[in-house]
Amino acid sequence: YFIFQHSIQGWKQLKSGFNKQSAELWSYSLPFVVAATIIIIGGLTIMNKNMWGIFFILLSCMSMPHVLYMNKFYKRIRLR
């Protein structure tokens, strides 16, 4: 539920903040979706049972730019 709610609200805010339609936003996000899918599937296929902790640490490190840029985005649209 949280992931769905977070994604829907975030997508609406991105559409509004960038003044773009969903199709255009999707085309911008497609390279990142493909890269993330490859990384996750690749990680899941090469990990053994003892490496799950490392995988999730790397995953959280890769999500840090999302947190930082979205924080900057929300500050920018609040100032309008």
Side-chain angles (χ1 to χ4, degrees):
Y1 172 79
F2 170 77
I3 294 169
F4 179 74
Q5 182 68 18
H6 173 77
S7 298
I8 293 295
Q9 293 303 314
W11 195 260
K12 287 178 184 177
Q13 292 164 347
L14 286 171
K15 282 175 54 177
S16 174
F18 288 121
N19 196 24
K20 303 286 182 192
Q21 295 298 314
S22 286
E24 196 171 5
L25 279 179
W26 177 249
S27 69
Y28 292 149
S29 68
L30 188 60
F32 300 102
V33 171
V34 170
T37 303
I38 290 169
I39 289 169
I40 291 171
I41 290 172
L44 292 173
T45 57
I46 64 170
M47 295 285 160
N48 63 34
K49 291 180 183 178
N50 298 328
M51 298 177 74
W52 283 104
I54 295 169
F55 176 72
F56 283 106
I57 290 170
L58 291 174
L59 192 61
S60 67
C61 290
M62 289 186 292
S63 67
M64 189 60 172
H66 167 73
V67 172
L68 296 174
Y69 281 105
M70 288 307 292
N71 187 28
K72 185 177 177 179
F73 172 76
Y74 288 136
K75 284 181 182 178
R76 188 185 66 166
I77 63 172
R78 257 187 249 126
L79 295 175
R80 290 184 185 175

